[in-house]
């Protein structure tokens, strides 16, 4: 058996296992996991030599993925824009959809001399890390309530200069009232009765505080609206993520006193985040 055929046969077996487990992207996930184990780029993984210990580790990872453990929990990292963040049990895994919102915020502040940015519901800290990476002159402040998530955020933001605090966003950063240029948040937004519709990767592994938000999914969004109004300077901007089914209800939270309220789409063209300016 050639080295190449060994890797291909492993991948073929892995894809079948992942398909049986209901994983949405079995071939991609199998290649990414074998790439991770062998330490080679995904494009070269089908020709990679596979040692016996690597084979065993790979099959264990495939078994975990088939049980719908998030891919990022298995590898320990998640790619987000131009950075990688460490993730695992106890923290919400950042999604590609959130990268679009983060990019919008970066575009709004990158021309400012020393923009002040606040991230609410920071989770792993991926958004804040991206902002300081792409806008090094920014002064970024972040808050997260969940203790488990805070451990990951501290790890990811260590040495970045981000002012990271644990606590309820409702009372966060009173010393910044009226002085913030941008607020960004990916709050919990899933209605309590939508449990069955949530993918097992999120439902069974992401922390509950990062998922559920009242009967209509907008309880946290209403708090974000109040906190952002308090923090932002006149003309300051906000961006808040929501579920694709909330393309009308989420912007409505900001309709009464904000200007320029607009809903924006994600990479797949689905309603994903609302933006607005403080008049």
């Amino acid at each position: 058996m050639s080295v190449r055929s060994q890797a291909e046969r492993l991948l073929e077996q892995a894809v079948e296992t992942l398909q049986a487990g209901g994983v949405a992207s079995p071939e991609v996930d199998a290649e990414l996991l074998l790439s991770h184990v062998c330490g080679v780029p995904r494009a070269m993984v089908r020709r990679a030599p596979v040692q016996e210990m690597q084979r065993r580790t790979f099959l264990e990872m495939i078994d975990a993925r088939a049980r719908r453990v998030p891919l990022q929990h298995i590898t320990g990292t998640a790619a987000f824009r131009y950075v990688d963040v460490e993730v695992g049990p106890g923290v919400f895994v950042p999604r590609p959809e959130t990268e679009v919102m983060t990019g919008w915020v970066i575009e709004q502040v990158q021309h400012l001399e020393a923009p002040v940015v606040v991230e609410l519901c920071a989770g792993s800290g991926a958004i804040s890390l991206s902002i300081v990476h792409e806008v090094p002159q920014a002064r970024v402040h972040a808050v997260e309530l969940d203790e488990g998530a805070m451990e990951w955020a501290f790890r990811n933001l260590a040495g970045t200069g981000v002012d990271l605090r644990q606590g309820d966003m409702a009372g966060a950063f009173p010393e910044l009232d009226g002085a913030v240029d941008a607020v960004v948040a990916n709050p919990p937004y899933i209605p309590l009765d939508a449990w069955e519709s949530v993918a097992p990767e999120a439902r069974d592994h992401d922390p509950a505080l990062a998922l559920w938000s009242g009967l209509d999914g907008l309880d946290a969004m209403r708090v974000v609206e109040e906190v952002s109004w308090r923090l932002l300077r006149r003309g300051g901007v906000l961006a808040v993520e929501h579920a694709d089914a909330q393309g009308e209800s989420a912007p409505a939270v900001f309709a009464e006193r904000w200007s320029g309220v607009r809903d924006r789409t994600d990479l797949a063209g689905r309603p994903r985040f609302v933006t607005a300016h403080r008049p």
Side-chain angles (χ1 to χ4, degrees):
M1 182 188 302
S2 68
V3 171
R4 182 173 184 270
S5 64
Q6 179 191 24
E8 287 186 332
R9 289 188 62 179
L10 272 174
L11 287 170
E12 182 180 357
Q13 175 186 352
V15 168
E16 292 178 357
T17 301
L18 295 181
Q19 286 175 332
V23 174
S25 52
E27 184 172 337
V28 171
D29 286 20
E31 290 180 351
L32 288 172
L33 287 173
L34 189 57
S35 169
H36 176 75
V37 168
C38 295
V40 300
R42 180 184 164 197
M44 300 173 58
V45 75
R46 291 182 177 273
R47 298 195 300 265
V50 184
Q51 305 300 323
E52 176 60 21
M53 185 59 69
Q54 293 172 329
R55 185 188 72 84
R56 293 179 183 177
T57 301
F58 174 67
L59 293 178
E60 289 173 359
M61 289 181 168
I62 289 297
D63 178 68
R65 186 70 188 100
R67 290 184 279 106
R68 308 301 290 273
V69 176
L71 176 71
Q72 297 85 351
H73 281 197
I74 299 171
T75 63
T77 62
F80 190 84
R81 288 184 67 83
Y82 305 106
V83 300
D84 291 323
V85 294
E86 295 185 36
V87 294
V91 69
F92 183 83
V93 175
R95 270 63 167 180
E97 294 86 352
T98 309
E99 296 182 37
V100 180
M101 177 179 70
T102 304
W104 184 88
V105 173
I106 288 171
E107 290 175 359
Q108 305 306 304
V109 301
Q110 61 187 357
H111 64 284
L112 301 177
E113 182 177 349
V116 178
V117 182
V118 168
E119 180 187 7
L120 306 175
C121 309
S124 68
I127 294 176
S128 289
L129 184 61
S130 288
I131 293 172
V132 294
H133 177 75
E134 298 181 52
V135 190
Q137 75 273 23
R139 292 176 290 168
V140 180
H141 307 261
V143 62
E144 169 58 44
L145 178 60
D146 187 85
E147 291 184 8
M150 277 294 291
E151 295 180 8
W152 294 98
F154 273 124
R155 188 179 307 178
N156 289 317
L157 296 174
T160 64
V162 173
D163 172 22
L164 175 63
R165 306 183 194 181
Q166 182 178 358
D168 191 334
M169 64 173 167
F173 309 114
E175 73 279 10
L176 297 178
D177 286 357
V180 174
D181 297 293
V183 172
V184 59
N186 182 12
Y189 50 69
I190 303 176
L192 291 173
D193 62 358
W195 192 88
E196 290 291 343
S197 67
V198 179
E201 286 87 345
R203 185 185 66 212
D204 299 338
H205 297 279
D206 284 330
L209 275 176
L211 299 178
W212 315 107
S213 189
L215 294 178
D216 63 357
L218 297 174
D219 281 4
M221 183 77 67
R222 297 182 182 96
V223 178
V224 170
E225 189 272 339
E226 294 175 359
V227 176
S228 299
W229 185 266
R230 168 173 62 81
L231 290 174
L232 287 171
R233 61 169 173 80
R234 293 183 179 181
V237 300
L238 67 83
V240 192
E241 184 169 325
H242 59 71
D244 53 10
Q246 296 168 336
E248 294 183 1
S249 59
V253 173
F254 303 89
E256 182 175 342
R257 56 180 177 175
W258 295 79
S259 63
V261 178
R262 176 180 171 184
D263 201 64
R264 300 177 188 268
T265 58
D266 60 20
L267 295 167
R270 297 169 298 195
R272 183 56 60 192
F273 66 102
V274 59
T275 63
H277 294 75
R278 193 189 193 286

